[in-house]
């Protein structure tokens, strides 16, 4: 299985956002892209076969999401995350971001305050601002090399009036997998101040050893009915281009309201190939996923080892996701100087830390869901550029 993840696959000229936008984004074609959150790794063979079977069938008419698809989802969530969900709770969607857009429009009003924990996935800002809601930040605390939630600040913000809170768990980009104790504190505050939870758990399956992802809605019956949990196989199995996700919405009234918003916007479930891939991955993809996580851990460990001889860069130890948060602040560079160093000297394309919020100043995000050789090459370039600046 490990050989699957070490095969160098040329993704150029495949309409890949990651590879075919390199010159546009970084000004040169010789930049190694290690940014957008998809993998340079082939999907499980069971997924390829399911998709090929659909192609061979040769008919691509209207498709329904039947009981077997729903059971594959409920079984996966139960097995992987110890949360028994009812099939009727599921709302299917092309993507988590699509669902968050629908939820914000359905359950909040213009000028409502929506809380996020920064630095955080850039679309969260866009979702809130696009619909004329107000972004309220609860910046994470960086304590002894690890990010923590500032619960005092969170309560102060909620006291001022927060309609909804977009939780990111596991957190992108800092890699935290929030503990049961942390999640319970969040639940207590959201119950106290009547705050709706919109939980982005798209990276739920990508958690490292000794950590366990816990769906926040699984911890409390009351909060379960005030939470929309967004999940998807797309990050787990590298299916982003197939656009397949779902929300778990236990509250019947909320589920119906959300469905009405999807209908109002003309968005109807997921496409034929997305359905086939989702069901195959969730039915027979567990062994592949276990091997993938071993591969990702190997890559993360390699980066940590490589940085032992480069004190100017610190890797924030990841608990989940295949996205590594790198701290370059010891260089004393401005963000523009840091970007210039990485793009023009190192020739590596990373995600700019500031795109996740001002709290990301001095940081960059690197994607390690690629071959070990590419990770080694990218980090070697970065370290060489830093040492020879």
């Amino acid at each position: 299985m490990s050989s699957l993840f070490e095969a160098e696959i040329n993704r150029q000229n495949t309409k890949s956002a990651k590879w075919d936008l390199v010159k546009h984004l970084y000004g040169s074609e010789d930049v190694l892209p290690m940014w957008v959150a998809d993998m340079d790794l082939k999907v499980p063979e069971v997924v390829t076969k399911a998709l090929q079977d659909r192609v061979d069938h040769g008919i691509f008419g209207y498709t329904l999401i039947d009981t077997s698809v729903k059971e594959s989802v409920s079984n996966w969530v139960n097995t992987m995350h110890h949360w028994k969900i009812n099939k009727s709770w599921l709302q299917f969607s092309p993507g988590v971001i699509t669902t968050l857009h629908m939820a914000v429009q359905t359950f909040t009003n213009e000028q409502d305050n929506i809380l996020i924990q920064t630095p955080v996935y850039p679309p969260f800002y866009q979702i809130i601002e696009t619909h004329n809601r107000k972004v309220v930040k609860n910046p994470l605390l960086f304590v002894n090399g690890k990010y923590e939630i500032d619960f005092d600040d969170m309560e102060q913000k909620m006291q001022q009036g927060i309609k909804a809170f977009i939780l990111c768990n596991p957190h992108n980009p800092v890699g935290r997998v929030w503990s049961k104790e942390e999640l319970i504190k969040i639940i207590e505050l959201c119950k106290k101040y009547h705050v709706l939870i919109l939980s982005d758990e798209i990276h739920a399956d990508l958690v490292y050893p000794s950590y366990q992802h816990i769906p926040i809605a699984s911890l409390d019956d009351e909060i379960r009915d005030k939470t929309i949990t967004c999940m998807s196989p797309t990050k787990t199995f590298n299916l982003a281009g197939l656009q397949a996700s779902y929300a778990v919405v236990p509250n019947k009234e909320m589920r119906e309201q959300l469905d009405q918003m999807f209908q109002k916007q003309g968005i109807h479930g997921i496409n034929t190939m997305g359905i086939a891939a989702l069901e195959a991955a969730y039915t027979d993809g567990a062994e592949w996923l276990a091997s993938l996580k071993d591969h990702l851990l190997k890559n993360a460990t390699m980066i940590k080892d490589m940085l032992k001889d480069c004190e100017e860069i610190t890797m924030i130890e990841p608990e989940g996701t295949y996205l590594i948060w790198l701290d370059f602040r010891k260089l004393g560079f401005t963000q523009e100087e840091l970007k210039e160093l990485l793009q023009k000297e190192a020739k590596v394309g990373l995600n700019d830390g500031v795109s996740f919020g001002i709290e990301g100043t001095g940081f960059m995000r690197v994607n390690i869901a690629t071959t070990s050789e590419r990770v080694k090459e990218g980090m070697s370039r970065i370290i060489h550029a830093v040492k020879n600046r």
Side-chain angles (χ1 to χ4, degrees):
M1 183 70 78
S2 61
S3 61
L4 174 67
F5 302 125
E6 298 299 355
E8 295 282 353
I9 301 169
N10 185 357
R11 298 182 63 194
Q12 293 175 322
N13 302 313
T14 63
K15 298 180 175 61
S16 162
K18 182 177 182 179
W19 286 87
D20 291 336
L21 287 176
V22 166
K23 185 174 182 179
H24 172 73
L25 292 174
Y26 300 108
S28 176
E29 292 182 349
D30 59 354
V31 171
L32 179 64
M34 300 182 73
W35 63 291
V36 71
D38 70 9
M39 305 186 205
D40 296 325
L41 310 173
K42 281 193 174 183
V43 303
E45 289 185 7
V46 293
V47 173
T48 302
K49 184 180 185 304
L51 294 173
Q52 190 61 59
D53 287 347
R54 291 297 296 131
V55 170
D56 290 344
H57 184 256
I59 297 175
F60 306 99
Y62 294 113
T63 311
L64 59 84
I65 298 174
D66 63 8
T67 299
S68 69
V69 176
K70 294 176 182 178
E71 285 181 348
S72 72
V73 173
S74 60
N75 290 340
W76 181 266
V77 174
N78 183 21
T79 301
M80 297 298 294
H81 308 299
H82 314 295
W83 185 23
K84 292 185 178 181
I85 62 172
N86 191 305
K87 295 187 293 293
S88 68
W89 297 352
L90 298 172
Q91 168 73 53
F92 289 85
S93 163
V96 165
I97 295 305
T98 302
T99 300
L100 290 175
H101 272 287
M102 296 300 105
V104 165
Q105 292 181 81
T106 304
F107 302 111
T108 71
N109 299 309
E110 291 194 8
Q111 302 305 309
D112 277 347
N113 294 324
I114 299 180
L115 190 74
I116 57 176
Q117 294 176 318
T118 55
V120 76
Y121 186 46
F124 285 9
Y125 298 88
Q126 299 157 8
I127 291 166
I128 297 167
E129 293 168 346
T130 295
H131 302 295
N132 296 318
R133 277 64 168 173
K134 295 180 180 179
V135 172
V136 178
K137 295 183 178 184
N138 170 224
L140 298 174
L141 299 174
F142 193 45
V143 181
N144 297 323
K146 181 177 179 178
Y147 282 90
E148 299 177 356
I149 297 172
D150 187 341
F151 285 104
D152 290 337
D153 178 77
M154 175 181 270
E155 180 158 22
Q156 289 176 11
K157 300 293 172 56
M158 287 187 176
Q159 287 173 343
Q160 297 168 16
I162 297 294
K163 189 65 173 287
F165 164 47
I166 305 180
L167 172 66
C168 193
N169 184 33
H171 193 282
N172 174 13
V174 309
R176 277 299 315 277
V177 176
W178 303 119
S179 68
K180 182 177 181 180
E181 292 72 24
E182 289 168 317
L183 293 173
I184 287 173
K185 288 182 180 180
I186 291 173
I187 288 170
E188 290 171 348
L189 288 175
C190 288
K191 287 166 65 173
K192 182 177 180 179
Y193 295 102
H194 309 289
V195 176
L196 172 70
I197 299 176
L198 308 177
S199 190
D200 176 356
E201 302 186 15
I202 196 170
H203 293 98
D205 302 320
L206 300 168
V207 173
Y208 293 102
S210 77
Y211 298 99
Q212 174 66 49
H213 173 77
I214 303 172
I216 192 168
S218 70
L219 292 175
D220 182 277
D221 288 344
E222 182 180 340
I223 210 67
R224 184 191 71 181
D225 284 337
K226 297 177 181 177
T227 299
I228 295 173
T229 304
C230 301
M231 291 179 158
S232 172
T234 54
K235 289 289 183 278
T236 309
F237 296 102
N238 202 26
L239 307 174
L242 294 180
Q243 299 185 322
S245 82
Y246 55 93
V248 183
V249 193
N251 184 302
K252 185 174 184 291
E253 182 179 353
M254 288 178 59
R255 191 168 61 250
E256 291 174 349
Q257 291 174 329
L258 184 62
D259 182 64
Q260 288 172 8
M261 182 58 71
F262 272 100
Q263 298 299 322
K264 182 178 179 180
Q265 301 294 345
I267 299 173
H268 305 283
I270 55 181
N271 66 68
T272 300
M273 305 308 275
I275 293 171
L278 180 152
E279 185 172 16
Y282 276 173
T283 302
D284 295 305
E287 183 178 352
W288 181 94
L289 174 59
S291 296
L292 171 69
K293 291 198 288 186
D294 289 342
H295 177 75
L296 297 176
L297 180 60
K298 180 176 71 172
N299 283 349
T301 301
M302 178 171 62
I303 292 177
K304 184 177 180 179
D305 290 342
M306 292 177 73
L307 291 177
K308 288 178 180 177
D309 296 323
C310 185
E311 62 181 16
E312 296 90 343
I313 309 172
T314 302
M315 183 185 87
I316 309 307
E317 197 79 29
E319 299 174 357
T321 85
Y322 53 72
L323 306 165
I324 301 293
W325 194 232
L326 296 178
D327 184 353
F328 292 86
R329 291 177 299 169
K330 289 179 182 177
L331 289 173
F333 282 14
T334 66
Q335 198 69 11
E336 287 304 313
E337 289 171 338
L338 178 57
K339 288 163 60 178
E340 178 114 347
L341 176 73
L342 295 172
Q343 293 176 24
K344 296 188 177 180
E345 300 299 327
K347 297 288 185 178
V348 178
L350 306 182
N351 285 100
D352 183 358
V354 171
S355 68
F356 300 89
I358 195 67
E359 298 82 3
T361 302
F363 292 82
M364 289 282 174
R365 192 189 76 173
V366 58
N367 179 347
I368 63 168
T370 187
T371 65
S372 297
E373 191 58 37
R374 279 183 181 152
V375 172
K376 183 178 180 180
E377 171 65 20
M379 290 307 302
S380 295
R381 292 187 189 188
I382 292 169
I383 292 169
H384 182 268
V386 167
K387 287 186 173 294
N388 291 275
R389 64 192 186 283

